[in-house]
Amino acid sequence: MRSETSAGDVLGSVVDSDAHIFEPHDLWDRYLDPRFRSRAPKVILDDGGRIRWNLDGRITPTLPLFTVERENGERTPYVPRPGMGDPREHVADMDREGIRHAVVYPGLGLLFQAIEDGALAAALCRAYNDWLQEHCATAPTRLFGAAAIPLQDPAAAVAEVERVAEKLPQMRAVFVRPNPAAGRLLHDPALDPFWAAAAKARIPVAIHEGTTRSSPTVAEDRYDEFFFLHMLSHPFEQQLACLNLIAGGVLDRHPDLRVVFLESGSAWAVHWLARMDEHFEHWGYTLPSLKRRPSDAFRAQCFISTHPEEDAVAATVEFVGEDCVVWASDYPHPDAIFPGAPKATLANPRLSPLAKRKILVDNGRRLYGLPVGS
């Protein structure tokens, strides 16, 4: 008899906790309130093919032309897989990989938090979420979404959480960036109603960074090179978000809240939580509102994603626990593995068979409330 943690049983049941899509070119015409259509985000390509964004009249710095390395060593322009836009093609790729469920995150949607006008941001989030509901409903037992939330306007953020929970059944999470929104950090008291609404709705909040050069980001005052910015933005912004939610008291004030940190690897949590625990022991008296050891708060209320090539996830499992780690492909970004992403994690010799099953299947189901056997 095969073990319940064998590769054969895991493949076919894998939960992809962070896949990506790219929104259709006519999204705003179809879904956005007509009053805001002329102010929707627009992509600008310079003569070298580099990307800039027009965000309600604000032009962002450039991003490089993304390329991929071919088997012959040649680098060619990155062309997204059809599944990035077509849900049926996405499901076909999932079947090739042994992935049963995928929760999809945005392309353009990562820009919304940089919009300064709260009313425009709220309209963009509503339009995106309505489109994503339709996109995922094409494969209702396979594709699920994470809804965009306009943190710029706390009242609108609460209203959108409530609308998503009541009317958009394919949405299994809401997401925000770790960066400041309208000058507020995630533990700002003005955002407490948002956290309370998410906790009440029993919908997890995903923290997802993006090197979009649109929001205030760690080290942008030091570097201009994309390599440096991408190295720093994801894990460093997630560490700051983790600090804000734990030391800022958000998790303590909302014990039913569940949070997942995505697309930054998992190993940063080992160093960061150990350092926070040490500060709690020696300097906790300076922050009397912090009631629990930070690592205990994280284990009780948080998840963190690992990616297929992260050998160091074994350290995360050892320190944080195998119940807190979920698996994410980052499909179909240029630095993601395809095909073979789940098999790369299954091949990690430092993880036990039980840990592999929890990471690839069970924890993602539990985080997102996904059906078993569908």
Side-chain angles (χ1 to χ4, degrees), residues 12 34 39 66 69 87 92 104 141 184 221 247 259 261 277 282 291 295 330 359:
R39 299 168 62 195
F66 297 126
E69 185 173 0
V104 292
T141 65
R184 299 187 187 97
D221 60 334
V259 175
F261 299 91
D277 281 353
H282 295 291
K291 304 300 183 185
S295 61
D330 198 32
I359 291 169

Side-chain angles (χ1 to χ4, degrees), residues 246 273-274 276-277 292-300 319-320:
I246 294 176
L273 292 173
M276 271 201 278
D277 281 353
R292 293 177 289 175
R293 287 177 63 85
S295 61
D296 290 339
F298 190 98
R299 294 184 188 101
F319 183 80
V320 181

Side-chain angles (χ1 to χ4, degrees), residues 173-250:
V174 298
F175 83 88
V176 299
R177 294 270 300 254
N179 320 74
R184 299 187 187 97
L185 301 178
L186 293 182
H187 64 298
D188 191 298
L191 296 179
D192 249 22
F194 158 69
W195 300 112
K200 182 179 179 181
R202 300 282 179 170
I203 188 166
V205 178
I207 313 295
H208 197 302
E209 175 61 323
T211 311
T212 57
R213 309 204 70 180
S214 57
S215 294
T217 306
V218 165
E220 270 214 315
D221 60 334
R222 300 189 187 191
Y223 303 109
D224 189 55
E225 299 88 351
F226 183 81
F227 185 101
F228 286 82
L229 295 172
H230 195 268
M231 273 287 298
L232 293 165
S233 64
H234 285 65
F236 278 43
E237 286 291 347
Q238 293 286 36
Q239 288 177 69
L240 292 176
C242 184
L243 177 68
N244 293 339
L245 295 179
I246 294 176
V250 173

Side-chain angles (χ1 to χ4, degrees), residues 294-359:
S295 61
D296 290 339
F298 190 98
R299 294 184 188 101
Q301 295 179 246
C302 296
F303 295 80
I304 190 168
S305 73
T306 184
H307 55 76
E309 294 181 295
E310 189 185 29
D311 291 337
V313 65
T316 312
V317 167
E318 180 180 358
F319 183 80
V320 181
E322 60 189 18
D323 293 328
C324 293
V325 183
V326 297
W327 184 86
S329 73
D330 198 32
Y331 169 98
H333 283 171
D335 54 348
I337 294 176
F338 183 88
K343 290 180 180 179
T345 298
L346 286 168
N348 189 331
R350 299 176 63 193
L351 294 173
S352 72
L354 180 58
K356 291 174 183 177
R357 178 172 180 86
K358 286 186 174 183
I359 291 169

